[in-house]
Amino acid sequence: MPRLELAFLPPIDTPDVAVVVDVLRMTTTAAALFDLGLSELIIVADDVAAREAAQAAGALLIGERQGVPLPGFDHGNSPLEFSATAVSGRSAVLCTTNGSKAVEAAAAARHLLLGAIVNDRAVAERALELAQTSVTIVCSGTNGLVSLEDVLGAGCIIQRMLDVRSDLDLSDSARIALQLVAADGDLEAAMRTASHADTLAALGFGADISFAARRGSLPLVVQRSARRPARFAVSY
Amino acid sequence: MPRLELAFLPPIDTPDVAVVVDVLRMTTTAAALFDLGLSELIIVADDVAAREAAQAAGALLIGERQGVPLPGFDHGNSPLEFSATAVSGRSAVLCTTNGSKAVEAAAAARHLLLGAIVNDRAVAERALELAQTSVTIVCSGTNGLVSLEDVLGAGCIIQRMLDVRSDLDLSDSARIALQLVAADGDLEAAMRTASHADTLAALGFGADISFAARRGSLPLVVQRSARRPARFAVSY
């Protein structure tokens, strides 16, 4: 009976399988990029190191700080700004405010996945296949505060995990996330009450919220393939 | 419009009014003790320091580690083990596993209250009276993990605050706690799904859970009157 633990914010111990969740927008954008044919994603928290990694790898440079594209980067962090032409077969380096830090905080995990609402079922199934003892979901939050949309995302993934195995040993935090999703019929409406959704809508990224709330729309798994720097590949 | 922030676990910044919540059982027991006539409560995290403080103050020594009474202490931490005869007019030193640490983590607050489900309305009203800019609820958790019963307690207090002022600026975490309470008709049943409720029931403290779930049954406020050591007094 695997243990299911959830951190509303990093850090937390991630001894076995970790799932990092940053619904608005890093892990949603990662799923969107691989859906468009990206071959590899490298996640780097520091923007100077991100520039160097992109140059070394001949990779696209994608990133934002507080929702705004970083100067000199090829793209910001909106899942809607990419085309298959631009990303297919390419590598990308991604540098964001909160999600990158959660990936670093979960670095010790045996397996590390990026989870979102758009790929909740695929991630849930893979996490359970990989788990020896536990799955730990790590919500990224926003500048050290809990983000509603990440807890909704965690609740979606937990609900899908329980579809596969009803005997999971749920932590209290996992129960809270699950109840939050069970109580909310309309995920997108719930997400729009989140503080970071307000920020994004004010910056003109309202459509990103609708995209991020489309449950199960991108049935793919983004999984770490190498640790330093953290490299990710897709599988189905 | 006061800001309402909630930490599912310490630490968090507590710039104005802080409410520490440890439903099972420190803040519930604190309310019960004052209801029985206790004159002063001193909260000390370290058990050696607690013994010294009790001896210096001629105070009752109350405390537990992991739900079990500490050796040589006058009482454990069950709200049901005290009588008015034993506590009326006395001072007590309280030393517990998680709640004491949350009190220390919130020490910088301008005003510090202890909140529970049994006094949710009284604490909510006082917190809003005292607030200049913000109320920060600090859930104690259990050994570094989120406790469901504390988040339920926080949700109860937030619901009562919104009865007084509907224009509060709620953080995402506050919204999550509020939805958890709004979705649950039966607080006691919800509390019994909590991990620490299992532990207490196994130790024979099942009745404490029923006591702690009686919403608004002890309409009193426990408020810090001095900082080092943290001393608390009652008011109505």
Side-chain angles (χ1 to χ4, degrees):
Chain A
M1 181 165 63
R3 169 79 173 166
L4 178 47
E5 190 55 75
L6 182 157
F8 291 120
L9 284 173
I12 192 172
D13 288 337
T14 52
D16 190 13
V17 177
V19 180
V20 167
V21 174
D22 181 4
V23 168
L24 292 176
R25 297 172 292 182
M26 190 186 87
T27 57
T28 302
T29 297
L33 284 165
F34 281 113
D35 186 56
L36 291 169
L38 191 80
S39 67
E40 184 185 52
L41 186 68
I42 304 167
I43 294 184
V44 179
D46 177 71
D47 64 313
V48 175
R51 282 171 215 270
E52 291 170 2
Q55 199 154 28
L60 282 170
L61 186 53
I62 302 171
E64 53 84 26
R65 280 289 177 270
Q66 313 301 340
V68 179
L70 276 161
F73 275 49
D74 300 311
H75 289 276
N77 188 30
S78 166
L80 298 174
E81 72 180 86
F82 301 97
S83 67
T85 310
V87 308
S88 188
R90 303 276 315 260
S91 290
V93 171
L94 183 58
C95 173
T96 69
T97 311
N98 300 292
S100 306
K101 288 175 192 157
V103 166
E104 282 197 348
R110 202 166 58 82
H111 295 289
L112 177 55
L113 310 178
L114 305 185
I117 292 173
V118 293
N119 63 350
D120 64 341
R121 184 183 301 277
V123 166
E125 291 173 353
R126 181 67 53 83
L128 285 177
E129 284 163 22
L130 294 170
Q132 287 179 352
T133 58
S134 66
V135 176
T136 307
I137 301 178
V138 186
C139 293
S140 302
T142 305
N143 304 330
L145 296 177
V146 174
S147 286
L148 178 61
E149 69 276 9
D150 290 344
V151 182
L152 284 168
C156 287
I157 294 168
I158 294 165
Q159 208 174 43
R160 296 311 188 208
M161 290 173 73
L162 288 168
D163 289 345
V164 178
R165 283 199 66 160
S166 58
D167 68 340
L168 296 173
D169 173 23
L170 301 180
S171 71
D172 281 13
S173 49
R175 287 179 197 278
I176 290 167
L178 186 62
Q179 286 197 36
L180 192 70
V181 168
D184 260 315
D186 186 340
L187 267 180
E188 183 177 339
M191 270 177 62
R192 286 191 183 271
T193 68
S195 158
H196 192 54
D198 272 356
T199 307
L200 287 176
L203 291 168
F205 292 116
D208 290 13
I209 301 162
S210 310
F211 182 88
R214 267 179 226 140
R215 197 165 180 186
S217 58
L218 301 175
L220 56 83
V221 177
V222 181
Q223 183 172 348
R224 187 179 62 189
S225 53
R227 235 173 248 232
R228 300 216 177 269
R231 294 171 183 269
F232 292 82
V234 71
S235 56
Y236 295 88
Chain B
M1 180 165 65
R3 170 79 174 167
L4 179 47
E5 191 54 75
L6 183 156
F8 290 120
L9 284 173
I12 192 172
D13 288 337
T14 52
D16 189 12
V17 177
V19 180
V20 166
V21 174
D22 181 4
V23 168
L24 294 176
R25 299 174 290 182
M26 190 186 86
T27 56
T28 301
T29 297
L33 284 165
F34 281 112
D35 186 56
L36 291 168
L38 191 81
S39 66
E40 184 186 50
L41 186 67
I42 305 167
I43 295 183
V44 179
D46 177 71
D47 64 314
V48 174
R51 283 171 214 272
E52 292 170 0
Q55 198 154 27
L60 282 169
L61 186 53
I62 301 171
E64 52 83 28
R65 280 289 177 271
Q66 314 302 340
V68 180
L70 277 162
F73 276 47
D74 300 311
H75 290 275
N77 188 29
S78 167
L80 297 174
E81 72 180 87
F82 301 97
S83 66
T85 310
V87 309
S88 189
R90 303 276 316 258
S91 291
V93 171
L94 183 58
C95 173
T96 69
T97 311
N98 301 291
S100 306
K101 289 176 190 157
V103 166
E104 284 197 346
R110 202 168 57 82
H111 295 288
L112 178 55
L113 309 178
L114 305 184
I117 292 173
V118 293
N119 63 349
D120 64 341
R121 185 184 299 277
V123 166
E125 291 174 353
R126 181 67 55 83
L128 285 177
E129 284 163 22
L130 294 169
Q132 287 179 352
T133 57
S134 66
V135 176
T136 307
I137 300 179
V138 186
C139 294
S140 301
T142 305
N143 305 329
L145 296 177
V146 174
S147 286
L148 178 60
E149 70 276 10
D150 290 343
V151 182
L152 284 168
C156 287
I157 294 167
I158 294 165
Q159 208 174 45
R160 297 312 189 207
M161 290 175 73
L162 288 167
D163 290 345
V164 178
R165 284 198 65 158
S166 58
D167 68 340
L168 296 173
D169 173 21
L170 300 180
S171 72
D172 281 14
S173 50
R175 287 179 196 277
I176 291 167
L178 185 63
Q179 287 198 36
L180 191 69
V181 168
D184 259 316
D186 186 340
L187 267 180
E188 183 176 340
M191 270 178 62
R192 286 191 183 272
T193 68
S195 160
H196 193 52
D198 272 357
T199 307
L200 287 176
L203 291 168
F205 292 114
D208 290 13
I209 301 163
S210 310
F211 183 88
R214 267 179 226 141
R215 198 166 178 184
S217 58
L218 301 175
L220 56 83
V221 176
V222 181
Q223 185 172 346
R224 188 179 60 188
S225 53
R227 236 173 248 231
R228 301 218 177 267
R231 294 171 183 270
F232 292 82
V234 71
S235 55
Y236 295 87

